[in-house]
Amino acid sequence: MFNKLTTLFKQLLDGTDLSQNAANNPNLAIASLLCEVAGADHQIDEREQAVKRQLLKRLLNLSDDEVETLLTQAQSGVAQAASLYEFTSQLRELSQETRFELIKGMWEVAHADGDIDPLEDSVIRKTAELLYVDHREFIRAKLQVIDKS
C-alpha cells in the first residue's frame, strides 16, 4: 500500500495525468480486478489462480494463451495501481448484468480456497460501489457463490 501511495505522489509531482494512467482496455481491467481480489489477503492460492483463468476464458471468451498473457499484464498493472478506480472507471459503461457477473466472478475467486477473507470482501465491496452495483445485487452475487459450493 505504501508503495502505491509513493507511486501516486511521484506521478502527481511529475504532472502525470492520472485519468489516463491505465490504458482503455476493459479486458485488462477485468483481469486486474480478479488479480486484486486474489491478492487481497496476501495469500495467492492455486485454486484462486485456476478460478481466475476459468472466469477469463468464460467471461471474455479467450484462449489459454490469451488468458496467460492477460494475467501477466494484469499482475503488473495491479502492482503499480494506486487504486481500484484505475480499473473500475473503464467498466462503468458495461451493462448492469455484466457488472453483476464481474462481482460474482470476484466472489468466486475469493471463495475458491473455501474462505472469504475480510480483505477480499473489502475489495469486492469497494469495486461494487465504484461500478454502481446495488448492495442487494452485491449480496445476491455473494450468496449465489457460497450456496453453489
Side-chain angles (χ1 to χ4, degrees):
M1 181 64 153
F2 183 72
N3 289 339
K4 291 180 183 181
L5 289 174
T6 303
T7 301
L8 177 62
F9 286 128
K10 285 180 182 177
Q11 291 172 336
L12 287 170
L13 291 173
D14 292 341
T16 303
D17 181 4
L18 297 178
S19 66
Q20 302 300 318
N21 198 18
N24 190 15
N25 184 341
N27 289 355
L28 182 57
I30 289 169
S32 297
L33 288 170
L34 295 177
C35 290
E36 188 75 45
V37 75
D41 61 358
H42 306 289
Q43 297 176 8
I44 298 181
D45 187 278
E46 186 51 44
R47 294 170 289 187
E48 291 174 337
Q49 297 289 72
V51 169
K52 282 194 304 189
R53 288 182 187 96
Q54 291 168 356
L55 283 167
L56 291 172
K57 285 173 69 173
R58 184 181 84 217
L59 294 174
L60 304 177
N61 198 23
L62 300 175
S63 70
D64 289 336
D65 289 339
E66 291 170 324
V67 166
E68 292 306 319
T69 300
L70 190 61
L71 282 174
T72 300
Q73 292 172 343
Q75 288 288 20
S76 175
V78 165
Q80 297 178 15
S83 72
L84 293 173
Y85 181 80
E86 293 179 41
F87 310 121
T88 58
S89 62
Q90 300 176 49
L91 303 175
R92 289 190 182 139
E93 308 262 335
L94 298 175
S95 70
Q96 184 66 28
E97 179 183 338
T98 303
R99 288 180 280 154
F100 171 81
E101 288 299 320
L102 173 58
I103 296 301
K104 184 177 169 187
M106 291 177 77
W107 282 121
E108 289 177 32
V109 171
H111 193 259
D113 60 2
D115 180 48
I116 297 175
D117 187 272
L119 294 171
E120 293 169 329
D121 184 286
S122 177
V123 168
I124 300 168
R125 183 177 306 275
K126 188 63 172 173
T127 301
E129 290 172 4
L130 290 168
L131 290 176
Y132 306 119
V133 173
D134 187 67
H135 185 70
R136 182 180 73 243
E137 295 298 299
F138 165 81
I139 295 298
R140 184 169 72 94
K142 181 179 183 178
L143 292 176
Q144 283 182 6
V145 169
I146 291 172
D147 291 346
K148 189 169 77 170
S149 58

